[in-house]
Each structure stands twice: as structure tokens, then as C-alpha cells.
Amino acid sequence: MDPTTRLLFLRHAEVQEDYHRVFGGRLDIALSARGRRQAAQLADYVARRFQPEALCASPMQRVRETLAPLRELTGLAPVFDDGLREVDFGAWTGLRWEQIGERFGVTAFDWLDQLEQGLIPDAEPPDLFRDRVERALHEILAAQAGRTVAVACHGGVIRMALAILLELPLRKLTHLEVEYASVTWLDHRPGKIELQLHNFTPWRDLL
């Protein structure tokens, strides 16, 4: 039987309040107090339920802080990969959702479609974004074949990873929420990929 690689995509926890409903992208943002509590609940759930054997992560501050409790519980040293950094939103970086409509005449809710079509001024080109996430996925699957791997990163990166693995247009992923401190679980084996769990938030009824 072909080995199954279990991919657990973990979005970072809630960021500082000043950055809620803001296109953070490449800004290095810390977690809020609530985010730190979310990270602790996420770590407890992932460690107990899945017992990951490897950690891979974006090097950005909000991901490092989210990953800290899981590192402590598992004793695993994460492999940080620039390919898992959040997408660069270019001219949208640092803007609130309502400012996007005011300045660019589009709704912020169409951000995936705008990004995929290359319509966000000065943003990371969609082909480059896809290429770096795809490279990171290939490296993880090659290095961790047959293991359970927690991949801590960002909402945009998780959506791009799902688009690649499930062979979907990126814009279609706007229909799937990726909440703070959520788990999305896929089983990957040669010739078959199964989405087992999406956007599960173990902290939701506790905080």
C-alpha cells in the first residue's frame, strides 16, 4: 500500500486588533492576547488528536507565535520556509477592507479573483505566488512522505495550497473560509488526495 502523508494546514491565530479586517500580507504582525489563547487551544488539539511528526512553517512573526505552544508540546523543531510566507498584496497592504472599495472601486471580498487575475497594483504576480507554494508543497511531500506534518502558515497560502492539491481555480476558494487558528486536514497518497477536515477551530466554544 502506498504511504499516506497527512497534511495539517494550520492558519496562524488572531492578530493584533489594529490589523483586523486589514490586508496584512507581508507585514510582520504579532498575535493579540486572544490569538495567544487560540494558539494554545490549537496546539493542544493538534498534539493530542494527530501527534504530528514534523512541523513546517512560514517564518513570519504571527506564525512563529502561533506555533510556539505546539513546539513546546511536541518537542519538534520546525522547518521554516519562505515559500510559505503570506502573499504580498502590493498597494492593498495595510489597507482596511472598506478602503479597498474607496480607493480601487472593487470589493475586498473579491480579493482572490483580483489576485488571480493580476489586478492588484504592485502585488505578487499570481504565477510566482503559485510557484513558490507549489515548490514548498513538493519539498514537504518529498521530505515527509508517509508522515503526519503540521504546516503552519497563512489564509492566502492555505487557499493556494488547496487550489494546487485539489486542482481548483484559486478564485473558487473564496467560498471556503479559513479562520484564525484553524485546522485543514488532507491525506495525500500517490494518485489520490482526500480533504478530510476543513476550517476546524478547536478554540471556538472555549474562548
Side-chain angles (χ1 to χ4, degrees):
M1 179 179 291
D2 291 322
T4 297
T5 304
R6 181 157 293 170
L7 298 172
L8 308 172
F9 290 101
L10 314 179
R11 188 187 175 194
H12 63 79
E14 181 186 274
V15 295
Q16 293 171 322
E17 287 81 355
D18 287 348
Y19 293 96
H20 290 187
R21 296 173 66 89
V22 167
F23 284 92
R26 291 300 179 92
L27 298 178
D28 232 3
I29 307 166
L31 297 184
S32 66
R34 186 167 188 262
R36 290 191 290 274
R37 295 193 295 272
Q38 289 175 343
Q41 294 291 341
L42 176 66
D44 181 68
Y45 173 74
V46 171
R48 285 189 297 103
R49 172 64 179 83
F50 295 104
Q51 293 146 18
E53 299 164 274
L55 305 180
C56 299
S58 159
M60 301 187 80
Q61 181 180 358
R62 53 196 183 270
V63 175
R64 288 178 177 268
E65 291 182 5
T66 300
L67 202 55
L70 187 58
R71 292 183 65 173
E72 185 173 346
L73 286 175
T74 63
L76 297 170
V79 176
F80 293 105
D81 188 337
D82 276 342
L84 297 173
R85 285 180 176 271
E86 182 59 295
V87 64
D88 186 345
F89 287 110
W92 289 19
T93 302
L95 297 183
R96 304 189 67 80
W97 292 3
E98 57 270 20
Q99 291 177 300
I100 301 303
E102 296 167 1
R103 298 192 187 187
F104 299 98
V106 297
T107 173
F109 294 105
D110 287 339
W111 69 274
L112 282 175
D113 184 58
Q114 293 286 306
L115 183 67
E116 189 172 42
Q117 294 188 62
L119 297 177
I120 301 177
D122 303 318
E124 183 175 6
D127 289 348
L128 294 183
F129 179 36
R130 182 185 182 90
D131 286 349
R132 68 173 171 86
V133 174
E134 191 163 27
R135 176 196 55 76
L137 289 174
H138 286 166
E139 290 180 0
I140 291 167
L141 290 169
Q144 308 296 342
R147 307 178 82 197
T148 297
V149 188
V151 183
C153 52
H154 309 267
V157 174
I158 292 171
R159 288 183 173 91
M160 178 58 85
L162 289 174
I164 292 166
L165 293 169
L166 301 178
E167 299 181 359
L168 295 171
L170 180 61
R171 64 185 179 277
K172 293 295 185 182
L173 275 298
T174 193
H175 302 298
L176 297 181
E177 182 59 90
V178 182
E179 179 62 274
Y180 286 132
S182 62
V183 183
T184 292
W185 158 23
L186 291 93
D187 282 340
H188 182 284
R189 60 180 63 87
K192 187 174 185 181
I193 298 172
E194 294 178 334
L195 178 61
Q196 303 286 3
L197 182 70
H198 175 70
N199 196 44
F200 178 68
T201 48
W203 50 267
R204 188 175 297 278
D205 294 331
L206 301 174
L207 299 179

